Amino acid sequence: MRLGFTDILRRLSPLAKLGLGIVAVVFLVAIFAPWLAPYPLGHVDVTHQLEGPSMAHPLGTDENGADLLTQVIWGSRVAVMVGASVVGICSTVGITLGAISGYFGGWIDEVIMRITDMLMAFPGILLAILLIFITQEPSLLAVIGALSVTGWSSYARLVRGEVLSEREEDYVEAARSIGYKSPHIVFREVLPNVLAPVIVQATFGVAGAILAEASLSFLGLGPQDMPSWGALLDQGSTYFLLTPHLAIFPGVAIMITILGLNFLGDGLRDLLDPRGLTRHGN
Amino acid sequence: MLRYFVRRLAASVLVVFGVVTIVFFVVRAVPGDPVASILGEQALEVDKQALRQCMNLDEPLLEQYALFWGDVLNGTFGELCGERGATVADKLVANIPATLQLAAAGLGVAILIGIPLGVVAALKPYSWIDNTSAVLALLGISIPNFWLGPMLLILFSLTLQALPNPGSSVAGLSALILPAITLGTAMSAKLMRMMRSNMLEVLNKDYVRTAAAKGAGRSRVVLKHALRNAMIPIITILGLQFGALLTGAIIVEKIFARPGLGTLLLDGIQQRNYMIVQGCVIFISLSYVVVNLLTDLVYGSVDPRIRYD
């Protein structure tokens, strides 16, 4: 059964709709960050350092006197950019290689699968940590690159498995018999039939990428050129005995975003992936 | 069976080869002079030359690669040239117990919370306890450990004055409780979800109905017939989640200022000491590969239907 975009929206569970709403809000906040933030980025008020929430600074200020709300709002940009780019790159590369692997089999399949084996041998963000170690001052692009290099393999595995089971279906045979070339069959005939679990995986993948970026930033290995929630939390933890709000609010922002994506992912999985092929990306 | 073991083992050997190769060449791609970054720019030329020689940097790259394989195979992971006679392995060995202790405690928390909650939720599906634990599981998966840790510290250290601050020297088990909860929470949530769906599936099987029909008591049916079968897939999850425990340990060690492999790795990165970074990344990945190999082999012998293809 094929579901259209509006069908999916209508049939999502209430919790999944809430998740979609949260994701939409985070997305809008990221786009309109310069207009929503109460202070310009980089503005410091040296007379109000390490202060708790007040009228002037709803989430308080950090050790330099910068407004925390402003930084949290700008931090959503890093989260959205990392989440969208990493999943965009990983799913494109993973779908392509997975489809090739599953459809053609043979030595191509063997090579691609052995590469995914090796990438998956590095637990979690460890390979990303190593890749970022190469760059002296990690930029946003370096972080996106490091997470993408390591992240495509799960999509490749998923799509390969799906394509393998579709390969022997009658419609593939039919397409072949009327003379369609392999690329057409793989990308136009087979892929649309296996995309549903990929969409679910990608939703969890966005959550996974945002968490991974935040973890890297917390370890001091995140983008140095933009404020990120993980880095804010890292700075905040230094002073948490003095000013707990610095550690609390950036974490709340991460948690709400991840919760929203997980709500949405669970709802999409119930609709699109009844066999439960996908898993949480984090 | 033996064929499966051998093929699985061969695949792991290939992966180990890949891991060592990838890490070696990635680390060599670090720009700048590694000798200068260890000794500092002002160091004497004699010292620089000695260190360069000790680190085999004068050899061609492929020669260095071959020498490094020697270091991996003899278990030293290379000599730490700055410190006389010490090897990377010495540093690793000194830090493994702390990380192992943390990982084991985190695993304990995950199992103690996740499995009983999952079983109870499956026994009474859609009851208040099932719904509550479903919400808790979603929260557990969504709360990042690097936030949960500081929050627990704020809560306990400040408000209740109950547990030692990370800086204080109060040793012993209590210093392990908060780190273990921080590390184990996300995993307990995943275990709980997995356990619930496994139990629900198993409880509908014919052999469970047969056991109930022949008059076995409820607790006997649940514990002996259902639980034991529902536990089998958990073995695989534990293996896969071991990786999350290891990377989680890096973060938890930072939050609670604990010694361990993660602290060693982060210090190595800070000092740009690539022997240490290389050793840590390879060691952590290899232990993950070994644990996954073991879980697959255990799984293969527990459930003879599993075959590698």
Side-chain angles (χ1 to χ4, degrees), chain A residues 170-186:
Chain A
D170 287 342
Y171 72 88
V172 177
E173 190 65 46
R176 210 176 287 139
S177 66
I178 57 174
Y180 278 132
K181 297 275 186 293
S182 292
H184 178 94
I185 300 175
V186 175

Side-chain angles (χ1 to χ4, degrees), chain A residues 133 218 248 262 266 280 282, chain B residues 31 142 147 190 193 254 272:
Chain A
F133 174 60
F218 180 75
I248 293 174
N262 282 340
D266 281 348
H280 280 268
N282 40 316
Chain B
S142 303
W147 187 67
K190 286 174 197 166
R193 282 182 156 203
K254 174 170 166 148
R272 309 209 67 79

